[in-house]
Amino acid sequence: MERGKKRVVDSQLESVHLVRMNHLNSAGRLFGGQLMQWIDETAAMAAKRHAHRPIITASFNNLQFLRGAYPGDTVVLKAKIVYAGHTSMDVKVETYAETVTGEQFLINCAYATEVAVGEDGKPTIVPELIIETEEEQYEWDRSVLRRELRKKHG
Ligand SMILES: CC(C)(COP(=O)(O)OP(=O)(O)OC[C@H]1O[C@@H](n2cnc3c(N)ncnc32)[C@H](O)[C@@H]1OP(=O)(O)O)[C@@H](O)C(=O)NCCC(=O)NCCS
């Protein structure tokens, strides 16, 4: 079967959520586990758009909570594929809290590895990623480095 090639922009996407009272932790901020669910879903949707296959999450790397988000904030998650291997893809997800005045603050940055699975539930080949910009090349190189570190240290 033809493997195909896709650009980063072909699958990049945003998802948007409103922080409600039921999303808060005891400190009155957005609960980290809730944000992780949104990050996981957003990363998987971008990977599904790249691979056009069902997706499972293999791992998260370098998930950093940088600031809090509060009731009434709009949470904007921006996902893009930064690396495509044989059956897996690395997805960068940047999360912003948008205030009522429209200001956006970066509150989280995470990298997820998503694996495409076939009808047999086993990993299946994904399209190659076309690198078009210096920034995309930078992210690709960082993914290669993360993969080497994972193979070395588990
Ligand atoms: C992810 C999973 C499918 C990998 O299966 P596997 O038999 O190890 O398959 P492979 O060794 O062929 O790896 C498949 C790809 O995943 C990558 N991969 C496997 N484990 C990984 C990990 N822990 N972190 C990052 N990438 C991983 C491999 O590098 C490979 O990538 P490539 O094909 O692009 O080179 C398997 O471990 C699994 O099903 N895990 C549970 C996933 C799940 O249920 N997630 C939902 C959240 S609970």
Side-chain angles (χ1 to χ4, degrees), residues 31-104:
F31 172 50
Q34 175 63 66
L35 180 54
M36 285 166 68
Q37 178 185 330
W38 291 340
I39 293 169
D40 194 17
E41 286 170 354
T42 307
M45 286 191 285
K48 193 162 66 173
R49 224 182 227 183
H50 181 81
H52 287 163
R53 292 274 183 279
I55 298 297
I56 52 178
T57 304
S59 67
F60 273 101
N61 283 285
N62 200 17
L63 190 142
Q64 294 183 48
F65 293 98
L66 305 169
R67 296 174 71 130
Y70 300 88
D73 283 350
T74 301
V75 173
V76 182
L77 298 100
K78 303 182 183 186
K80 61 183 176 188
I81 310 291
V82 293
Y83 176 93
H86 299 292
T87 65
S88 68
M89 296 146 281
D90 286 357
V91 187
K92 181 178 184 180
V93 183
E94 288 177 313
T95 305
Y96 296 84
E98 186 176 305
T99 63
V100 72
T101 57
E103 283 176 289
Q104 286 194 350

Side-chain angles (χ1 to χ4, degrees), residues 102-120:
E103 283 176 289
Q104 286 194 350
F105 300 98
L106 183 67
I107 62 166
N108 190 285
C109 183
Y111 290 85
T113 301
E114 307 287 338
V115 178
V117 291
E119 281 171 12
D120 56 2

Side-chain angles (χ1 to χ4, degrees), residues 3-11 47-52 84 127-132:
R3 184 176 177 194
K5 294 182 182 185
K6 280 193 179 166
R7 299 172 301 160
V8 173
V9 292
D10 293 332
S11 56
K48 193 162 66 173
R49 224 182 227 183
H50 181 81
H52 287 163
E128 288 176 40
L129 189 66
I130 302 167
I131 297 297
E132 296 185 300

